[in-house]
Amino acid sequence: MTRQTYDVIVIGSGPAGGIVARRLGEAGLDVAVVEKDGWGGVCPLRGCEPKKTLADMTHEILRVRDMATHGVAGNARVDWAALMRFKHSVIDPISGKVFDSFHGRGITTIQGEARFIGPDTVEVDELGPLTARRIVVASGAVPRKLGIPGERLLLNSDRFLDLETLPESMLFIGGGFVSFEFACIAAAAGARATILHRSRRVLKGFDEVLGRKLVQAMQDQGVAVHTDHPVKAVEPFEDGVRVLVNGPDDVEMEFVAAAAVSGAGRVPDLDGLDLDKAGVESGERGIKVDEYMRSVSNPVVFGAGDCVEPGHPLTPMAALQADTVVRNILDEGSARSDLSGTAGAVFTHPTLACAGLLEEQAREQGYEFKVYEGDAAGWSEHNRLGMAHAGYRVLVERGTGRILGAHYLGAHAEEVANIFGMAIRHSLTREDLLAQPWAYPSFGYTVRYMLG
């Protein structure tokens, strides 16, 4: 077979791979993109975008219910079939648009599964060897396996987002953001939702105190949350499933529902790439890269997004890492990865958001800081919305006044987190934020309440 040679081969067309391919194509490099699944990757097709489409609609239902005593009358409900039709109208065109964006820049597109056969060479199904000066792995992540008997009976996150009809009762296994978001959606749409989590603490990437407040809010919405309930097995039961768990004091318990969803998150999608044949070192958390996003063991290979270590499965991090890859391919050694100030959110009702360090991380790193914290349910902003659960915790370094971390549960939390994320990234201080003439009344203005 004829060997095909490119300047750059990108494996994966999601947010990270897409940015790398398009920007390098615009720079005049000969680029090929290999995609084994839908063009566009997890976030727009099977992650953030479809999830947020469902969450936004169901949050409106909950807002109406919250404001029932404020003069909002009537019973709003979710028409699940109509909601899913709308979701498809938004999501289904994305793959075609992503595909066209590559062709519009003269980028070669290859559908299939790539695997390394050498340090600078890959194969894609029956195609011959494809060689490049640089190879960028941006293969994303796949649902995590639980490794328990009967796991095949569980829906994964991809399948939940494509449900044509909503089961009347659902179990969500795992206490991370996937389970919390999906349970909130299901409950608002009329299902009986239950979360089963193996340990005491839920939402480990978020503030523990505010996580407990969110559990209270979820329970008020009718979602049962059981911690210290590790799942042992899943069995078929009548028209649904039975989930066996170890309950308190190691007593075996069972939960029955029409369907159960694994919300155990995602892991780097590296199986089948044959990284060892390229001498690319990887671990449980992904491909090991240096500060330039280059493989620590093969200088030809770069990585970005959910498939690399260090990192977190967040689209903004993937975009920043992709930018670092692009800059270093065009000008070697010109950019280092900087993910400081990255904001994240759990799109429940209310939303839980974070930026910067958790309290335990700040202590481990030796910072001396003051925690500004309080309950925010009494703010007029939340009273107007009928929101009963809200709170904040902001870590401010002693001496400098720099913001180390910010955590907030409440309305518009994702945008408040963006404000604090920018402050962290650009070393703004508490005094800088207090001096800003925020629009009033707005949730940006509430930054003053948190730091006052």
Side-chain angles (χ1 to χ4, degrees), residues 325-341:
V325 170
V326 169
R327 292 166 65 185
N328 284 314
I329 287 177
L330 294 177
D331 183 8
E332 185 174 352
S334 63
R336 292 176 170 84
S337 179
D338 178 10
L339 303 177
S340 60

Side-chain angles (χ1 to χ4, degrees), residues 77-348:
R77 67 178 184 85
V78 174
D79 181 334
W80 187 265
L83 175 56
M84 292 302 290
R85 286 195 297 271
F86 174 68
K87 187 218 75 168
H88 283 293
S89 75
V90 173
I91 303 303
D92 291 354
I94 291 176
S95 278
K97 292 178 181 178
V98 171
F99 186 83
D100 291 344
S101 75
F102 293 138
H103 276 255
R105 293 168 172 79
I107 296 167
T108 300
T109 53
I110 301 171
Q111 184 76 50
E113 190 164 356
R115 57 190 171 277
F116 282 93
I117 58 174
D120 62 355
T121 307
V122 299
E123 279 186 338
V124 181
D125 299 333
E126 290 79 29
L127 294 178
L130 308 176
T131 300
R133 292 190 301 108
R134 297 286 185 266
I135 296 176
V136 181
V137 181
S139 53
V142 292
R144 182 190 302 274
K145 296 290 180 65
L146 294 174
I148 58 174
E151 184 169 4
R152 61 181 179 77
L153 298 171
L154 298 175
L155 304 178
N156 60 25
S157 57
D158 298 0
R159 291 176 64 192
F160 175 85
L161 292 169
D162 267 340
L163 285 173
E164 293 184 4
T165 58
L166 184 68
E168 64 179 16
S169 57
M170 303 192 75
L171 302 171
F172 296 90
I173 299 173
F177 71 90
V178 172
S179 285
F180 270 74
E181 289 174 340
F182 287 1
C184 186
I185 291 168
R192 189 173 70 255
T194 300
I195 294 173
L196 302 173
H197 184 50
R198 61 187 174 86
S199 64
R200 180 184 61 83
R201 180 174 178 177
V202 298
L203 299 166
K204 291 185 178 177
F206 293 83
D207 182 83
E208 183 175 6
V209 174
L210 298 183
R212 290 198 296 268
K213 278 185 177 287
L214 177 56
V215 169
Q216 294 171 0
M218 297 284 282
Q219 289 171 336
D220 284 356
Q221 295 163 29
V223 178
V225 181
H226 298 280
T227 57
D228 289 318
H229 278 60
V231 173
K232 294 172 51 182
V234 184
E235 301 173 349
F237 181 80
E238 295 180 354
D239 293 331
V241 293
R242 173 166 48 203
V243 175
L244 305 178
V245 305
N246 278 337
D249 299 320
D250 208 29
V251 175
E252 185 175 291
M253 303 173 63
E254 64 177 45
F255 292 81
V256 174
V261 179
S262 173
R266 292 178 177 267
V267 294
D269 186 8
L270 301 177
D271 288 349
L273 282 174
D274 289 344
L275 295 175
D276 56 322
K277 294 183 179 178
V280 174
E281 187 178 345
S282 66
E284 200 172 298
R285 296 173 55 197
I287 294 173
K288 297 182 184 295
V289 295
D290 61 20
E291 58 188 342
Y292 305 104
M293 302 309 297
R294 176 180 290 170
S295 162
V296 297
S297 55
N298 180 349
V300 170
V301 174
F302 287 78
D306 296 357
C307 65
V308 303
E309 177 192 341
H312 298 284
L314 297 172
T315 296
M317 296 183 78
L320 288 173
Q321 291 173 338
D323 177 70
T324 301
V325 170
V326 169
R327 292 166 65 185
N328 284 314
I329 287 177
L330 294 177
D331 183 8
E332 185 174 352
S334 63
R336 292 176 170 84
S337 179
D338 178 10
L339 303 177
S340 60
T342 302
V346 185
F347 288 102
T348 44

